[in-house]
Amino acid sequence: MASFLCSTRFFVVLFLISAVPIAVLISLETATPSTHVYHYYSKGWARECAKWDDLNRRFFVSFFENGIGQIAVPDHHSPSDPLDEVLLVRDADLAGNASLGIFIDRARNRLMVAIADVFGNRYSAVAAYDMTTWDRLFLTQLNRPDEKSVADDVAVDAEGNAYITDCWESKIWKVGINGEFISTITCPLFTHKGWHRNLVGLNGIVYHPNGYLLVVHMITGHLFKVTTGSENEVRPIKLVGGPCSLGDGMELFSPTKLVVAGNPTWLVESFDDWETGTVVGKFRGSKVHRLTTAATVKDGKVYLNHMFGMGFPRKKHAIVEAVFSS
Protein backbone atom coordinates (compact mmCIF):
# COMPACT_ATOMS: atom_id res chain seq x y z
CA MET A 1 0.00 0.00 0.00
CA ALA A 2 2.81 2.42 0.75
CA SER A 3 3.91 2.54 -2.87
CA PHE A 4 0.66 4.36 -3.68
CA LEU A 5 2.08 7.33 -1.79
CA CYS A 6 5.24 7.42 -3.87
CA SER A 7 5.49 9.61 -6.95
CA THR A 8 2.36 9.80 -9.14
CA ARG A 9 0.73 6.71 -7.66
CA PHE A 10 -0.42 8.60 -4.59
CA PHE A 11 -2.23 11.17 -6.70
CA VAL A 12 -4.04 8.44 -8.63
CA VAL A 13 -5.57 7.21 -5.38
CA LEU A 14 -6.43 10.75 -4.30
CA PHE A 15 -8.26 11.24 -7.57
CA LEU A 16 -10.22 8.01 -7.15
CA ILE A 17 -11.17 8.85 -3.58
CA SER A 18 -12.23 12.38 -4.46
CA ALA A 19 -14.47 11.01 -7.19
CA VAL A 20 -16.71 9.29 -4.65
CA PRO A 21 -19.74 11.54 -4.03
CA ILE A 22 -20.06 12.88 -0.51
CA ALA A 23 -23.64 11.65 -0.37
CA VAL A 24 -22.48 8.09 -1.00
CA LEU A 25 -19.90 8.35 1.79
CA ILE A 26 -22.54 9.61 4.19
CA SER A 27 -24.85 6.78 3.19
CA LEU A 28 -22.13 4.18 3.75
CA GLU A 29 -21.13 5.67 7.09
CA THR A 30 -24.68 5.77 8.44
CA ALA A 31 -25.74 2.35 7.16
CA THR A 32 -26.31 -0.34 9.78
CA PRO A 33 -23.43 -2.86 9.49
CA SER A 34 -24.44 -6.38 8.52
CA THR A 35 -21.67 -7.87 10.70
CA HIS A 36 -19.98 -7.10 13.99
CA VAL A 37 -17.73 -4.01 14.05
CA TYR A 38 -15.15 -2.86 16.57
CA HIS A 39 -14.93 0.93 16.43
CA TYR A 40 -12.04 2.70 18.12
CA TYR A 41 -10.83 6.26 18.54
CA SER A 42 -7.37 7.29 17.39
CA LYS A 43 -5.30 10.43 16.85
CA GLY A 44 -4.22 9.29 13.38
CA TRP A 45 -5.99 9.14 10.03
CA ALA A 46 -4.42 5.97 8.65
CA ARG A 47 -3.94 2.52 10.17
CA GLU A 48 -2.40 0.03 7.76
CA CYS A 49 -2.65 -3.28 9.63
CA ALA A 50 -4.40 -4.86 12.62
CA LYS A 51 -3.61 -8.22 14.26
CA TRP A 52 -5.38 -9.88 17.17
CA ASP A 53 -3.36 -10.83 20.27
CA ASP A 54 -5.50 -13.60 21.75
CA LEU A 55 -3.46 -14.06 24.95
CA ASN A 56 -3.92 -10.45 26.00
CA ARG A 57 -7.24 -9.73 24.26
CA ARG A 58 -6.09 -6.76 22.25
CA PHE A 59 -5.61 -5.67 18.67
CA PHE A 60 -2.24 -4.34 17.59
CA VAL A 61 -2.45 -1.64 14.90
CA SER A 62 0.30 -0.08 12.79
CA PHE A 63 0.47 3.66 12.19
CA PHE A 64 1.09 5.14 8.77
CA GLU A 65 2.77 8.05 10.54
CA ASN A 66 5.14 5.61 12.36
CA GLY A 67 4.38 3.58 15.44
CA ILE A 68 2.36 0.75 16.96
CA GLY A 69 -0.73 0.98 19.13
CA GLN A 70 -3.05 -1.39 20.92
CA ILE A 71 -6.83 -1.56 21.33
CA ALA A 72 -7.76 -3.55 24.42
CA VAL A 73 -11.09 -5.41 24.18
CA PRO A 74 -12.93 -6.09 27.47
CA ASP A 75 -14.54 -9.50 27.91
CA HIS A 76 -18.06 -8.07 27.86
CA HIS A 77 -17.61 -5.25 25.39
CA SER A 78 -20.71 -3.69 23.82
CA PRO A 79 -20.42 -2.97 20.08
CA SER A 80 -22.04 0.42 20.65
CA ASP A 81 -19.10 1.58 22.78
CA PRO A 82 -16.04 2.71 20.80
CA LEU A 83 -12.70 1.52 22.15
CA ASP A 84 -9.55 3.62 22.56
CA GLU A 85 -6.18 3.27 20.88
CA VAL A 86 -3.13 3.42 23.19
CA LEU A 87 0.35 4.18 21.86
CA LEU A 88 2.93 1.45 22.48
CA VAL A 89 5.87 2.36 20.23
CA ARG A 90 6.99 5.42 18.32
CA ASP A 91 10.71 5.56 17.56
CA ALA A 92 12.18 9.02 17.09
CA ASP A 93 14.82 7.72 14.70
CA LEU A 94 12.07 6.41 12.41
CA ALA A 95 10.18 9.70 12.14
CA GLY A 96 8.81 10.09 8.63
CA ASN A 97 8.65 6.34 8.07
CA ALA A 98 5.45 4.31 8.00
CA SER A 99 4.82 1.17 10.02
CA LEU A 100 3.00 -1.17 7.63
CA GLY A 101 2.54 -4.94 7.90
CA ILE A 102 2.91 -6.53 11.35
CA PHE A 103 3.25 -10.11 12.60
CA ILE A 104 2.89 -11.48 16.14
CA ASP A 105 5.81 -13.88 16.69
CA ARG A 106 4.31 -15.61 19.70
CA ALA A 107 7.10 -18.16 20.15
CA ARG A 108 9.62 -15.36 20.74
CA ASN A 109 7.29 -12.82 22.37
CA ARG A 110 8.00 -10.20 19.77
CA LEU A 111 6.15 -8.10 17.23
CA MET A 112 7.65 -7.85 13.76
CA VAL A 113 7.03 -4.65 11.80
CA ALA A 114 7.65 -3.84 8.13
CA ILE A 115 8.83 -0.24 7.86
CA ALA A 116 9.00 1.97 4.76
CA ASP A 117 9.89 5.60 4.11
CA VAL A 118 6.60 6.44 2.46
CA PHE A 119 7.28 9.98 1.27
CA GLY A 120 11.04 10.16 0.86
CA ASN A 121 11.40 6.54 -0.27
CA ARG A 122 14.90 6.47 1.20
CA TYR A 123 14.95 3.00 2.72
CA SER A 124 12.92 -0.02 3.83
CA ALA A 125 13.47 -1.98 7.03
CA VAL A 126 12.12 -4.59 9.41
CA ALA A 127 12.01 -4.12 13.18
CA ALA A 128 11.39 -6.48 16.08
CA TYR A 129 9.92 -5.35 19.43
CA ASP A 130 9.68 -7.23 22.72
CA MET A 131 5.95 -7.47 23.49
CA THR A 132 6.51 -7.09 27.25
CA THR A 133 8.98 -4.21 27.52
CA TRP A 134 8.44 -2.81 24.00
CA ASP A 135 12.19 -2.42 23.63
CA ARG A 136 13.34 -2.59 20.03
CA LEU A 137 15.34 -5.79 19.56
CA PHE A 138 16.70 -4.91 16.14
CA LEU A 139 16.20 -2.71 13.10
CA THR A 140 17.50 -4.11 9.81
CA GLN A 141 17.71 -1.95 6.70
CA LEU A 142 16.74 -4.01 3.67
CA ASN A 143 17.54 -2.11 0.48
CA ARG A 144 20.74 -0.68 -0.92
CA PRO A 145 21.21 3.12 -0.72
CA ASP A 146 20.61 3.52 -4.48
CA GLU A 147 17.63 1.13 -4.61
CA LYS A 148 13.99 2.18 -4.45
CA SER A 149 11.81 -0.13 -2.39
CA VAL A 150 8.74 -0.29 -0.17
CA ALA A 151 8.71 -2.92 2.59
CA ASP A 152 5.05 -3.84 2.86
CA ASP A 153 4.28 -6.99 4.84
CA VAL A 154 6.12 -9.51 7.02
CA ALA A 155 5.83 -13.18 7.99
CA VAL A 156 7.99 -15.40 10.24
CA ASP A 157 8.86 -19.09 9.81
CA ALA A 158 9.25 -21.78 12.48
CA GLU A 159 12.95 -20.98 12.96
CA GLY A 160 12.32 -17.27 13.52
CA ASN A 161 13.45 -16.02 10.10
CA ALA A 162 11.44 -13.06 8.80
CA TYR A 163 10.27 -12.60 5.21
CA ILE A 164 9.36 -9.11 4.04
CA THR A 165 7.69 -8.24 0.74
CA ASP A 166 8.85 -5.33 -1.39
CA CYS A 167 5.77 -4.11 -3.25
CA TRP A 168 7.83 -1.69 -5.36
CA GLU A 169 10.20 -4.19 -7.00
CA SER A 170 8.28 -7.42 -6.28
CA LYS A 171 10.82 -9.33 -4.26
CA ILE A 172 11.09 -10.90 -0.80
CA TRP A 173 13.84 -10.17 1.72
CA LYS A 174 14.89 -12.83 4.25
CA VAL A 175 16.22 -11.75 7.65
CA GLY A 176 17.54 -14.07 10.38
CA ILE A 177 16.25 -14.50 13.90
CA ASN A 178 18.62 -11.86 15.30
CA GLY A 179 18.10 -9.38 12.49
CA GLU A 180 20.95 -10.44 10.24
CA PHE A 181 20.24 -9.94 6.53
CA ILE A 182 20.31 -13.32 4.77
CA SER A 183 19.11 -13.07 1.17
CA THR A 184 16.71 -11.66 -1.42
CA ILE A 185 14.19 -13.89 -3.18
CA THR A 186 13.46 -12.83 -6.75
CA CYS A 187 11.64 -14.53 -9.61
CA PRO A 188 10.52 -13.48 -13.13
CA LEU A 189 7.02 -14.71 -12.22
CA PHE A 190 6.74 -11.83 -9.74
CA THR A 191 6.63 -9.21 -12.51
CA HIS A 192 4.13 -8.89 -15.35
CA LYS A 193 4.01 -7.35 -18.79
CA GLY A 194 2.67 -3.80 -18.80
CA TRP A 195 3.75 -1.07 -16.41
CA HIS A 196 0.22 -0.71 -15.02
CA ARG A 197 0.28 -4.32 -13.81
CA ASN A 198 3.33 -3.61 -11.68
CA LEU A 199 2.23 -0.39 -9.95
CA VAL A 200 1.99 -2.40 -6.73
CA GLY A 201 3.64 -5.81 -6.75
CA LEU A 202 4.09 -8.42 -4.03
CA ASN A 203 2.03 -7.48 -1.01
CA GLY A 204 0.51 -9.78 1.63
CA ILE A 205 2.57 -12.74 2.83
CA VAL A 206 2.02 -15.62 5.27
CA TYR A 207 4.10 -18.60 6.39
CA HIS A 208 2.31 -21.93 6.08
CA PRO A 209 2.92 -24.53 8.86
CA ASN A 210 3.92 -27.05 6.18
CA GLY A 211 7.06 -25.01 5.57
CA TYR A 212 6.56 -22.53 2.71
CA LEU A 213 5.35 -19.01 2.00
CA LEU A 214 2.14 -17.84 0.35
CA VAL A 215 2.24 -14.39 -1.23
CA VAL A 216 -0.11 -12.27 -3.33
CA HIS A 217 0.70 -9.87 -6.18
CA MET A 218 -1.61 -6.95 -5.50
CA ILE A 219 -2.49 -5.57 -8.94
CA THR A 220 -2.89 -8.90 -10.74
CA GLY A 221 -4.22 -10.86 -7.77
CA HIS A 222 -1.99 -13.84 -8.55
CA LEU A 223 -1.02 -16.10 -5.65
CA PHE A 224 2.37 -17.79 -5.34
CA LYS A 225 3.75 -20.64 -3.27
CA VAL A 226 7.38 -20.01 -2.34
CA THR A 227 9.54 -22.79 -0.94
CA THR A 228 12.68 -21.46 0.72
CA GLY A 229 15.96 -23.16 1.49
CA SER A 230 19.26 -23.70 -0.29
CA GLU A 231 17.35 -23.16 -3.53
CA ASN A 232 14.17 -21.09 -3.57
CA GLU A 233 11.28 -22.38 -5.67
CA VAL A 234 8.36 -20.21 -6.80
CA ARG A 235 5.18 -21.74 -8.16
CA PRO A 236 2.05 -19.89 -9.27
CA ILE A 237 -1.04 -21.26 -7.54
CA LYS A 238 -3.66 -22.28 -10.08
CA LEU A 239 -6.71 -20.41 -8.83
CA VAL A 240 -10.32 -21.24 -9.70
CA GLY A 241 -12.69 -18.29 -9.32
CA GLY A 242 -9.87 -15.76 -9.10
CA PRO A 243 -7.64 -13.89 -9.40
CA CYS A 244 -7.70 -12.02 -6.07
CA SER A 245 -7.27 -8.65 -7.76
CA LEU A 246 -6.09 -5.81 -5.50
CA GLY A 247 -5.32 -8.33 -2.76
CA ASP A 248 -3.55 -6.75 0.20
CA GLY A 249 -2.75 -8.31 3.60
CA MET A 250 -3.38 -12.02 4.15
CA GLU A 251 -4.11 -14.39 7.02
CA LEU A 252 -4.40 -18.16 7.25
CA PHE A 253 -7.80 -19.06 8.67
CA SER A 254 -6.67 -22.69 8.72
CA PRO A 255 -4.01 -24.72 6.87
CA THR A 256 -6.49 -25.12 3.99
CA LYS A 257 -8.15 -21.67 4.03
CA LEU A 258 -6.53 -18.33 3.22
CA VAL A 259 -8.06 -14.87 3.62
CA VAL A 260 -6.88 -12.24 1.13
CA ALA A 261 -7.97 -8.79 2.31
CA GLY A 262 -9.14 -6.32 -0.30
CA ASN A 263 -12.17 -4.79 -1.87
CA PRO A 264 -13.71 -7.35 -1.95
CA THR A 265 -11.99 -9.69 0.51
CA TRP A 266 -11.49 -13.23 -0.75
CA LEU A 267 -11.64 -16.61 1.00
CA VAL A 268 -9.53 -19.19 -0.84
CA GLU A 269 -9.45 -22.93 -0.12
CA SER A 270 -6.93 -25.61 -1.09
CA PHE A 271 -6.83 -29.37 -0.52
CA ASP A 272 -3.54 -30.16 -2.30
CA ASP A 273 -1.05 -28.22 -0.17
CA TRP A 274 -1.58 -25.02 -2.17
CA GLU A 275 -0.64 -26.27 -5.59
CA THR A 276 -4.14 -25.11 -6.58
CA GLY A 277 -6.86 -23.12 -4.86
CA THR A 278 -10.52 -22.19 -5.23
CA VAL A 279 -12.25 -18.97 -4.25
CA VAL A 280 -15.07 -20.18 -2.01
CA GLY A 281 -16.29 -16.87 -0.63
CA LYS A 282 -16.19 -13.09 -0.88
CA PHE A 283 -17.04 -10.27 1.50
CA ARG A 284 -17.69 -6.62 0.79
CA GLY A 285 -19.01 -4.83 3.87
CA SER A 286 -20.35 -1.33 4.40
CA LYS A 287 -16.89 0.10 5.19
CA VAL A 288 -15.17 -0.55 1.85
CA HIS A 289 -14.81 3.20 1.29
CA ARG A 290 -12.35 3.14 4.20
CA LEU A 291 -10.11 0.75 2.20
CA THR A 292 -9.66 -2.80 3.49
CA THR A 293 -5.97 -3.52 4.00
CA ALA A 294 -5.43 -6.46 6.39
CA ALA A 295 -7.07 -9.51 7.92
CA THR A 296 -6.78 -11.22 11.30
CA VAL A 297 -8.55 -14.05 13.14
CA LYS A 298 -10.24 -13.46 16.50
CA ASP A 299 -12.14 -16.15 18.38
CA GLY A 300 -12.60 -18.20 15.22
CA LYS A 301 -13.87 -15.27 13.14
CA VAL A 302 -12.18 -13.17 10.45
CA TYR A 303 -11.85 -9.44 11.07
CA LEU A 304 -10.70 -6.84 8.56
CA ASN A 305 -8.65 -3.71 9.17
CA HIS A 306 -9.69 -0.56 7.31
CA MET A 307 -7.10 2.06 6.51
CA PHE A 308 -8.90 5.36 7.01
CA GLY A 309 -10.53 6.83 10.08
CA MET A 310 -13.32 9.40 10.05
CA GLY A 311 -14.00 12.36 12.31
CA PHE A 312 -12.21 15.26 13.95
CA PRO A 313 -10.30 15.82 16.18
CA ARG A 314 -10.41 12.15 17.16
CA LYS A 315 -10.61 9.76 14.24
CA LYS A 316 -13.00 6.83 14.45
CA HIS A 317 -11.63 3.63 12.90
CA ALA A 318 -13.31 0.30 12.16
CA ILE A 319 -12.27 -3.35 12.41
CA VAL A 320 -15.05 -5.32 10.71
CA GLU A 321 -16.06 -8.98 10.95
CA ALA A 322 -16.09 -10.69 7.54
CA VAL A 323 -18.88 -13.17 6.81
CA PHE A 324 -18.23 -14.75 3.43
CA SER A 325 -20.83 -15.54 0.78
CA SER A 326 -20.24 -17.89 -2.12
Side-chain angles (χ1 to χ4, degrees), residues 38 40-42 46-64 67-73 83-89 99-114 128-135 153-154 251 293-298 303-307 317-320:
Y38 287 106
Y40 67 93
Y41 286 120
S42 167
R47 297 293 178 258
E48 164 70 11
C49 187
K51 294 295 179 182
W52 174 246
D53 174 15
D54 57 331
L55 291 185
N56 298 288
R57 295 201 57 80
R58 59 185 174 178
F59 289 102
F60 291 126
V61 291
S62 60
F63 300 177
F64 229 85
I68 299 295
Q70 73 171 19
I71 299 102
V73 180
L83 302 166
D84 289 305
E85 176 187 275
V86 176
L87 176 69
L88 294 174
V89 171
S99 302
L100 300 180
I102 57 178
F103 178 84
I104 299 173
D105 186 4
R106 179 72 62 202
R108 298 159 194 88
N109 191 45
R110 62 184 188 174
L111 187 74
M112 308 298 295
V113 185
Y129 296 93
D130 184 286
M131 290 195 299
T132 302
T133 65
W134 291 104
D135 292 334
D153 202 4
V154 57
E251 184 84 352
T293 56
T296 190
V297 176
K298 176 188 180 295
Y303 282 85
L304 304 176
N305 179 76
H306 290 74
M307 169 78 80
H317 288 263
I319 299 174
V320 179

Side-chain angles (χ1 to χ4, degrees), residues 2-325:
S3 60
F4 276 134
L5 298 179
C6 301
S7 70
T8 59
R9 305 176 193 193
F10 177 47
F11 298 100
V12 172
V13 171
L14 284 181
F15 173 78
L16 292 175
I17 293 174
S18 64
V20 179
I22 297 298
V24 174
L25 290 177
I26 294 174
S27 175
L28 291 170
E29 278 297 302
T30 57
T32 301
S34 59
T35 63
H36 180 256
V37 179
Y38 287 106
H39 285 109
Y40 67 93
Y41 286 120
S42 167
K43 293 182 179 180
W45 291 107
R47 297 293 178 258
E48 164 70 11
C49 187
K51 294 295 179 182
W52 174 246
D53 174 15
D54 57 331
L55 291 185
N56 298 288
R57 295 201 57 80
R58 59 185 174 178
F59 289 102
F60 291 126
V61 291
S62 60
F63 300 177
F64 229 85
E65 68 273 22
N66 169 36
I68 299 295
Q70 73 171 19
I71 299 102
V73 180
D75 288 338
H76 303 291
H77 170 255
S78 171
S80 61
D81 297 330
L83 302 166
D84 289 305
E85 176 187 275
V86 176
L87 176 69
L88 294 174
V89 171
R90 176 166 287 156
D91 292 329
D93 61 339
L94 293 176
N97 290 5
S99 302
L100 300 180
I102 57 178
F103 178 84
I104 299 173
D105 186 4
R106 179 72 62 202
R108 298 159 194 88
N109 191 45
R110 62 184 188 174
L111 187 74
M112 308 298 295
V113 185
I115 295 170
D117 180 358
V118 172
F119 295 103
N121 199 18
R122 293 188 300 271
Y123 70 93
S124 290
V126 62
Y129 296 93
D130 184 286
M131 290 195 299
T132 302
T133 65
W134 291 104
D135 292 334
R136 192 170 73 193
L137 304 175
F138 64 76
L139 175 71
T140 303
Q141 184 170 333
L142 299 170
N143 61 306
R144 299 185 305 271
D146 61 343
E147 177 187 27
K148 285 189 175 183
S149 66
V150 176
D152 193 278
D153 202 4
V154 57
V156 175
D157 67 17
E159 288 73 42
N161 301 304
Y163 301 86
I164 306 95
T165 53
D166 174 9
C167 66
W168 186 277
E169 292 292 343
S170 284
K171 59 180 180 289
I172 302 169
W173 294 289
K174 182 178 181 180
V175 171
I177 188 172
N178 296 312
E180 66 276 18
F181 184 88
I182 295 178
S183 63
T184 302
I185 301 171
T186 60
C187 179
L189 294 174
F190 291 158
T191 56
H192 300 79
K193 292 182 179 180
W195 64 269
H196 59 287
R197 304 183 75 196
N198 296 289
L199 282 171
V200 188
L202 295 188
N203 200 311
I205 187 170
V206 296
Y207 177 75
H208 194 279
N210 288 351
Y212 50 82
L213 302 167
L214 300 174
V215 63
V216 64
H217 186 282
M218 185 177 188
I219 293 296
T220 65
H222 294 162
L223 294 173
F224 299 96
K225 178 180 179 179
V226 182
T227 304
T228 63
S230 56
E231 293 187 6
N232 301 314
E233 182 182 13
V234 178
R235 293 186 181 181
I237 297 172
K238 298 177 182 178
L239 193 60
V240 177
C244 301
S245 301
L246 301 182
D248 202 326
M250 303 200 303
E251 184 84 352
L252 279 172
F253 186 70
S254 73
T256 61
K257 290 184 178 180
L258 176 70
V259 180
V260 184
N263 297 277
T265 291
W266 313 72
L267 181 64
V268 184
E269 191 170 39
S270 174
F271 294 108
D272 58 5
D273 209 26
W274 293 99
E275 295 298 318
T276 65
T278 301
V279 173
V280 294
K282 298 179 185 180
F283 175 77
R284 188 191 297 271
S286 62
K287 303 295 184 183
V288 292
H289 57 293
R290 291 174 176 247
L291 197 60
T292 309
T293 56
T296 190
V297 176
K298 176 188 180 295
D299 302 332
K301 299 178 181 179
V302 175
Y303 282 85
L304 304 176
N305 179 76
H306 290 74
M307 169 78 80
F308 297 112
M310 302 286 183
F312 186 83
R314 293 199 301 171
K315 292 76 177 174
K316 192 175 182 181
H317 288 263
I319 299 174
V320 179
E321 179 189 357
V323 176
F324 296 94
S325 59

